[in-house]
Amino acid sequence: MKKAALPLAIALSLLGLTACQSQPATAPAGVEITDQKLAFDQFSQNFIDALWIESPTWALYSGFHKYDGVLKVPNAATRAATMAFIEKQQAALAKFDPQSMAPATLTDYRLIENLLGEMKWDLETFNSWQWNPASYNVSGGFAQIINEDFAPLDERLRSVIARMENVPAYYAAARENIANPTIEHTQLAIMQNEGAFSVFSKELLDKAIKSGLTNDEKALFANRFNKVTMAINEHIDWLKALETELAEDGSRSFRIGEELYEQKFAFDIQAGMSAKELYQKAVNDKNRVQTEMAKITHKIWGKYIDKPIPKDDKVAIKQLIDKLSAKHVKREDFVDEVRAQIPELIDFVNKKNLVTLDPNKPLVVRETPAYMRGYAGASISAPGPYEKSGNTYYNVTPLDGMSEESAESYLREYNHWILQVLNIHEAIPGHYTQLVYSNESPSLIKSLFGNGAMVEGWAVYTERMMLEEGYGDFEPEMWLMYYKWNLRVIANTILDYSIQVKDMSEEQALDLMMNEAFQQQAEAEGKWRRATLSQVQLTSYYSGYREIYDFREEYKALKGEDFDLKAFHEEFLSYGSAPVKYIRELMLNK
């Protein structure tokens, strides 16, 4: 990977933005808009420069490596400095008039405004830095430096040396911060910090000893490495004692309640509707999808089951899905099967001319690193816009740690058909493809501060789009399983809102997922766990999907015979990871 120079990257992005601005009707207005745009471009550059100083680990994940050796200690002084940064940037942003901005610039303005608002809200109102022990884990930043080949090894190891210096103070500050935590987040923190030793391993120490570092550097590396392992072990011991105390005395509820939920939803999703309104849409969609599944079940029932179909459609659907779900890969072949399906998806997308795939942007299927496990079974780790040639990792968790019963349940959930839908979602043309395009957006703001609902919504949209274009040869079994998968997306929204706002119990949640969304028990139990550890994020899939699909249909009707699916996809993706409502405005008003 190439190390990008930040001013140059921004300068290039600004050239791209300038080229696509619509021209004002009169010269005086043109001067005003142009002057403001130039001023906002300069503000954007200064904002990103300052943000990376304020958040060096975020910079690292984004592919900007100037501050790789900096690990900030999350103490009161750091929080005060963050608040000062937020207020300074908000004051600078307030000097601009959004009413006179061109659409592309206005979108960047709104993204920065939302980011600063959420940062301030999290520090002052949400306070997750107090009650979520899982927010403290140094592993990810170190793993990013060690595993990514963006610079010579010796250079990266020197960043590791510098970064290790603050690890003991980092965990000491974390323990000072943690107050009235949830037991669920405490348990996650234990598991993920234990996973840190997959990063701080003997292999890393050996790599440093065999490197081109000087003898003094190697000695310093070993000294700090030992202090890091001691600090992590000390923190794990403290967390385990805390877990015991919480189990005996009770702990804070993981449920955040309606007021905080609506506030977080507004910042995270930016959907132009309330969380309650989205919840009601999901309930309505659940009923519609179940009706479609019933139609397919009646059509193919006799092909698989030699007995009368039950009168209760949900019972019939569940029985047929259970029958079909027995067709799945062996547990030991799970990761390899995911790896084998990627070329098939690439071939289909290319043959159908759905979107241009760049063969020079590698996708690497790997086993999920230990420090990342315990949250989701499959995920994408993508390079930032500063290192566009870097690997995108498709993290797939192997099943070797599961019991036979749990593994079978998991494999029935990710059966022959649904595993293909999962790979569409995570890889081709889902997350992997969208994030490659996002890195090529002419706006760094849109690429760096993307909207989760757009990112997740695109991945969900591609599932249906691929089947509509003939993936799976319109096999009814594939459509039945797709609807099951889509029903899970819908149920995610119902589940998350109901758990966090309506006090849904675990028993009620499992009933929804298993009997209404036809999920396997292992998947349902895993989703319950996930919904206790996060808030709002589970709604992003459905929210973004509905917005994207509805907009495509609107755009298709507008264009008529001139509509081209590939052109729609590529223009839509060209605006980075902006909220769908803003992309819609840009495409309709260009």
Side-chain angles (χ1 to χ4, degrees), residues 170-234:
Y170 175 97
Y171 281 114
R175 292 190 289 275
E176 286 290 322
N177 292 342
I178 295 169
N180 191 24
T182 78
I183 191 169
E184 293 83 4
H185 291 91
T186 303
Q187 291 166 342
L188 179 63
I190 292 169
M191 184 179 70
Q192 292 190 333
N193 276 284
E194 287 176 338
F197 294 110
S198 68
V199 179
F200 297 101
S201 61
K202 183 178 183 299
E203 180 184 355
L204 173 60
L205 190 57
D206 290 343
K207 185 179 292 188
I209 298 302
K210 296 174 183 177
S211 71
L213 298 177
T214 66
N215 289 335
D216 286 345
E217 288 173 327
K218 291 176 181 179
L220 182 58
F221 191 103
N223 179 265
R224 289 185 177 174
F225 180 92
N226 289 333
K227 290 181 178 179
V228 165
T229 57
M230 291 173 60
I232 295 174
N233 277 317
E234 179 185 5

Side-chain angles (χ1 to χ4, degrees), residues 390-403:
N391 289 341
T392 298
Y393 292 105
Y394 183 2
N395 308 303
V396 183
T397 303
L399 311 185
D400 46 18
M402 289 185 177
S403 67

Side-chain angles (χ1 to χ4, degrees), residues 288-302:
R288 178 188 60 81
V289 169
Q290 287 174 341
T291 299
E292 294 299 320
M293 296 176 77
K295 292 177 183 178
I296 297 173
T297 298
H298 281 270
K299 179 180 179 181
I300 65 172
W301 176 269

Side-chain angles (χ1 to χ4, degrees), residues 22-162:
S22 57
Q23 295 302 312
T26 63
V31 171
E32 181 181 344
I33 290 176
T34 300
D35 287 349
Q36 177 158 251
K37 183 187 183 308
L38 290 173
F40 187 79
D41 288 349
Q42 185 60 56
F43 163 76
S44 297
Q45 176 176 338
N46 293 340
F47 173 75
I48 294 173
D49 287 341
L51 181 65
W52 292 159
I53 296 172
E54 166 60 33
S55 304
T57 300
W58 190 357
L60 164 61
Y61 278 118
S62 299
F64 185 73
H65 296 290
K66 183 176 180 180
Y67 308 115
D68 283 5
V70 179
L71 176 67
K72 286 202 168 184
V73 176
N75 54 24
T78 298
R79 288 192 296 277
T82 298
M83 187 59 68
F85 164 81
I86 293 168
E87 291 174 348
K88 178 180 179 180
Q89 298 301 325
Q90 286 179 326
L93 190 66
K95 295 177 181 178
F96 294 97
D97 176 18
Q99 299 300 319
S100 62
M101 286 181 169
T105 305
L106 179 60
T107 301
D108 287 4
Y109 173 96
R110 295 299 185 199
L111 286 171
I112 296 173
E113 179 184 52
N114 188 76
L115 171 63
L116 291 169
E118 184 164 21
M119 290 173 68
K120 186 173 184 178
W121 174 81
D122 188 60
L123 277 176
E124 291 187 330
T125 304
F126 198 49
N127 296 324
S128 59
W129 56 273
Q130 288 183 320
W131 54 261
N132 180 7
S135 61
Y136 301 105
N137 188 335
V138 299
S139 307
F142 284 98
Q144 195 78 3
I145 296 171
I146 294 161
N147 296 333
E148 295 297 328
D149 192 24
F150 57 82
L153 175 62
D154 291 351
E155 182 180 332
R156 289 183 282 125
L157 289 175
R158 290 187 178 98
S159 294
V160 171
I161 293 173

Side-chain angles (χ1 to χ4, degrees), residues 199-368:
V199 179
F200 297 101
S201 61
K202 183 178 183 299
E203 180 184 355
L204 173 60
L205 190 57
D206 290 343
K207 185 179 292 188
I209 298 302
K210 296 174 183 177
S211 71
L213 298 177
T214 66
N215 289 335
D216 286 345
E217 288 173 327
K218 291 176 181 179
L220 182 58
F221 191 103
N223 179 265
R224 289 185 177 174
F225 180 92
N226 289 333
K227 290 181 178 179
V228 165
T229 57
M230 291 173 60
I232 295 174
N233 277 317
E234 179 185 5
H235 190 63
I236 292 170
D237 290 342
W238 183 85
L239 288 170
K240 288 181 176 179
L242 177 61
E243 179 191 18
T244 300
E245 178 184 328
L246 295 173
E248 292 174 352
D249 300 338
S251 67
R252 174 196 182 106
S253 172
F254 62 81
R255 305 177 199 271
I256 65 174
E258 184 173 7
E259 183 178 0
L260 287 175
Y261 192 93
E262 286 286 2
Q263 292 169 1
K264 194 172 195 298
F265 180 87
F267 282 121
D268 288 0
I269 304 301
Q270 302 179 70
M273 73 182 84
S274 69
K276 187 175 183 178
E277 289 169 334
L278 182 70
Y279 164 79
Q280 191 56 56
K281 285 174 71 74
V283 170
N284 295 337
D285 251 359
K286 175 179 73 72
N287 298 331
R288 178 188 60 81
V289 169
Q290 287 174 341
T291 299
E292 294 299 320
M293 296 176 77
K295 292 177 183 178
I296 297 173
T297 298
H298 281 270
K299 179 180 179 181
I300 65 172
W301 176 269
K303 181 179 176 181
Y304 292 97
I305 301 178
D306 186 22
K307 65 179 181 179
I309 188 168
K311 292 182 179 180
D312 187 325
D313 281 342
K314 291 178 184 176
V315 172
I317 293 168
K318 184 174 177 60
Q319 287 183 12
L320 182 57
I321 287 175
D322 284 345
K323 180 72 173 180
L324 294 174
S325 296
K327 185 176 180 179
H328 60 68
V329 68
K330 296 178 180 178
R331 66 181 292 176
E332 63 268 23
D333 297 333
F334 186 72
V335 177
D336 288 339
E337 178 62 23
V338 170
R339 189 176 287 116
Q341 286 185 16
I342 302 305
E344 297 172 6
L345 292 171
I346 293 172
D347 185 59
F348 182 85
V349 169
N350 288 335
K351 284 183 177 178
K352 290 289 185 175
N353 206 27
L354 300 178
V355 65
T356 300
L357 301 174
D358 188 344
N360 298 315
K361 307 292 185 183
L363 173 65
V364 179
V365 179
R366 69 176 180 182
E367 294 188 3
T368 305

